[in-house]
Amino acid sequence: QKEVEQNSGPLSVPEGAIASLNCTYSDRGSQSFFWYRQYSGKSPELIMSIYSNGDKEDGRFTAQLNKASQYVSLLIRDSQPSDSATYLCAVNRADMRFGAGTRLTVKP
Amino acid sequence: EAQVTQNPRYLITVTGKKLTVTCSQNMNHEYMSWYRQDPGLGLRQIYYSMNVEVTDKGDVPEGYKVSRKEKRNFPLILESPSPNQTSLYFCASSFLGQAGGEQFFGPGTRLTVL
């Protein structure tokens, strides 16, 4: 089992729709969780961090964490073509572990 | 401006010719790390460092060396590069904390080994 697993995608949604990205992790001791966005050939940039169970909202983005289920998700509301990128889930305990990423395409 | 810098950004070299990719951060971060990214494989950690003179292997350390003589710098050394080390490399840094801090990434170095 991979330490951090994401839907491989690709995921395609129409402009204005909600994009839902999912991630599961294997280490129950993980303490911090991150979502990074990466455009092709560019470095990952942090878009959300979450540390406790529940939802965290930041603009059009909502991160959801369920430690009992070892699950973290990212919802993007009112998706825009500029949201088209690969989204990386990262989980940190003593060290950061990344998922392979989900490629999202938002079609105009 | 708070940032992680890497040099060079692009490098084409030949098998066996030693090279160094530099990484520097100006945020006083304790933790620094090197990753390689290959299509379909995501980010794989090569080496990391939790402080000066403290380094440890990540998931794919073979063929690489690192050093941490100063807090701000964490160079990646390929003593004898091979074509399977052709990849996109990222340096990252963060604070160390109880929960683990978010990592800030450099712009990346695209390496081609012929």
Side-chain angles (χ1 to χ4, degrees):
Chain A
Q1 181 188 7
K2 292 182 180 178
E3 292 183 75
V4 181
E5 293 204 57
Q6 296 182 242
N7 295 22
S8 59
L11 175 66
S12 180
V13 300
E15 184 175 357
I18 296 175
S20 178
L21 303 163
N22 303 315
C23 174
T24 58
Y25 60 94
S26 60
D27 186 349
R28 285 194 171 275
S30 300
Q31 297 177 302
S32 51
F33 307 86
F34 307 92
W35 283 100
Y36 286 83
R37 177 177 62 200
Q38 186 178 24
Y39 294 112
S40 181
K42 303 296 185 182
S43 57
E45 56 176 330
L46 182 73
I47 53 172
M48 289 288 286
S49 60
I50 187 166
Y51 299 93
S52 54
N53 280 330
D55 295 357
K56 179 181 178 182
E57 187 174 319
D58 184 0
R60 296 185 295 110
F61 298 95
T62 299
Q64 300 173 316
L65 175 61
N66 184 326
K67 289 186 179 180
S69 300
Q70 296 175 245
Y71 174 88
V72 58
S73 67
L74 179 70
L75 297 177
I76 306 175
R77 290 181 300 281
D78 188 25
S79 295
Q80 301 297 308
S82 58
D83 294 326
S84 298
T86 296
Y87 289 80
L88 303 172
C89 173
V91 174
N92 200 337
R93 185 183 183 181
D95 202 13
M96 191 81 89
R97 286 288 179 258
F98 288 85
T102 299
R103 186 172 180 180
L104 171 66
T105 301
V106 181
K107 295 185 175 180
Chain B
E1 179 188 357
Q3 60 182 350
V4 179
T5 57
Q6 292 178 230
N7 282 291
R9 295 288 313 280
Y10 303 91
L11 179 60
I12 299 174
T13 190
V14 295
T15 299
K17 186 176 181 181
K18 180 179 179 179
L19 66 92
T20 299
V21 184
T22 64
C23 173
S24 182
Q25 51 92 6
N26 62 1
M27 294 169 278
N28 203 34
H29 287 162
E30 300 93 354
Y31 183 92
M32 297 187 74
S33 181
W34 276 103
Y35 298 91
R36 61 178 289 174
Q37 188 173 39
D38 303 289
L41 295 178
L43 284 166
R44 293 183 292 168
Q45 191 175 51
I46 303 170
Y47 269 95
Y48 64 95
S49 169
M50 293 197 173
N51 216 326
V52 175
E53 302 292 359
V54 179
T55 63
D56 215 339
K57 295 178 180 179
D59 298 318
V60 288
E62 293 77 20
Y64 304 94
K65 287 175 58 178
V66 293
S67 68
R68 188 92 181 272
K69 297 178 181 177
E70 304 168 281
K71 195 172 187 179
R72 63 184 294 129
N73 295 324
F74 191 44
L76 179 70
I77 303 158
L78 285 71
E79 295 270 2
S80 183
S82 62
N84 65 12
Q85 293 179 298
T86 293
S87 188
L88 179 59
Y89 291 86
F90 290 104
C91 179
S93 70
S94 70
F95 288 115
L96 280 176
Q98 185 176 2
E102 64 179 90
Q103 290 195 0
F104 295 83
F105 283 83
T109 295
R110 188 167 292 279
L111 172 66
T112 301
V113 183
L114 302 174

